[in-house]
């Protein structure tokens, strides 16, 4: 079995790369693509977790873009990590700017929310791996943060 589109906690997934590898092994997956949104940060952990097993990790990436006013998500496999670092850092900065705007809007309904409070909480949370996005805001808001 192949699984060619998986997200980890480095983007909007709920499992760390190691947990995702363990889950794939239990399901009998033979090749697992780590295709987080706009980041390659989960690859090394997944590769290390899969090394003792007969599980091939396919390094991948899901890039978000807009074409003719429509949102598109493009999957890429085995991309050149070094060439992607600078553009992906720009995307991360954009995600952080959007998260600040979302929080500012949500503060109208819940004054306990603040970018700094959420950012500090998530940096201390073991499941947080670097993605500060709308999905992460909603997940943590549901936990009462």
């Amino acid at each position: 079995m192949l699984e060619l589109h998986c997200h980890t906690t480095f983007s909007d997934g709920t499992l760390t790369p190691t947990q995702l590898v363990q889950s794939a092994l239990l399901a009998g997956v033979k090749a697992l693509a780590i295709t987080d949104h706009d980041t390659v940060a989960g690859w090394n952990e997944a590769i290390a977790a899969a090394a003792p097993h007969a599980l091939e990790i396919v390094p991948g990436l899901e890039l978000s873009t807009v074409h003719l006013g429509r949102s598109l998500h493009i999957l890429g496999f085995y991309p050149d990590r070094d060439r992607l670092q600078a553009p992906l850092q720009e995307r991360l900065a954009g995600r952080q700017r959007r998260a600040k705007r979302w929080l500012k809007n949500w503060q109208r309904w819940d004054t306990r929310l603040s970018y700094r409070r959420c950012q500090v909480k998530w940096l201390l949370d073991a499941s947080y791996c670097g993605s500060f996005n709308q999905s992460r805001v909603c997940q943590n808001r549901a936990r009462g943060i």
Side-chain angles (χ1 to χ4, degrees):
M1 180 181 351
L2 306 175
E3 177 54 74
L4 298 177
H5 186 187
C6 287
H7 299 281
T8 73
T9 50
F10 279 97
S11 68
D12 58 355
T14 57
L15 300 176
T16 67
T18 298
Q19 292 168 331
L20 188 58
V21 165
Q22 292 167 349
S23 180
L25 289 167
L26 289 173
V29 172
K30 300 297 181 198
L32 174 67
I34 304 298
T35 54
D36 284 316
H37 290 279
D38 304 322
T39 183
V40 300
W43 294 358
N44 290 345
E45 182 182 336
I47 291 167
H53 308 283
L55 176 62
E56 177 185 354
I57 297 299
V58 177
L61 183 68
E62 182 171 355
L63 294 174
S64 305
T65 190
V66 175
H67 178 68
L68 299 176
R70 295 186 61 134
S71 177
L72 297 175
H73 296 251
I74 302 166
L75 290 176
F77 302 99
Y78 297 101
D80 183 335
R81 178 193 303 243
D82 294 333
R83 292 183 65 191
L84 288 171
Q85 290 303 323
L88 292 178
Q89 285 302 316
E90 291 174 23
R91 287 177 176 268
L92 178 60
R95 284 182 179 273
Q96 291 172 337
R97 284 190 300 274
R98 284 194 307 275
K100 286 180 182 180
R101 286 195 308 268
W102 294 324
L103 283 170
K104 186 173 183 176
N105 286 332
W106 289 344
Q107 284 173 333
R108 287 184 272 171
W109 296 283
D110 188 343
T111 57
R112 294 173 298 159
L113 286 174
S114 76
Y115 179 80
R116 182 72 182 142
R117 180 177 179 204
C118 291
Q119 189 179 41
V120 167
K121 167 61 180 161
W122 298 337
L123 289 172
L124 296 175
D125 184 340
S127 68
Y128 172 81
C129 294
S131 178
F132 194 90
N133 55 41
Q134 187 175 18
S135 174
R136 196 66 71 205
V137 169
C138 292
Q139 288 171 8
N140 284 282
R141 188 62 205 111
R143 289 188 217 160
I145 298 170

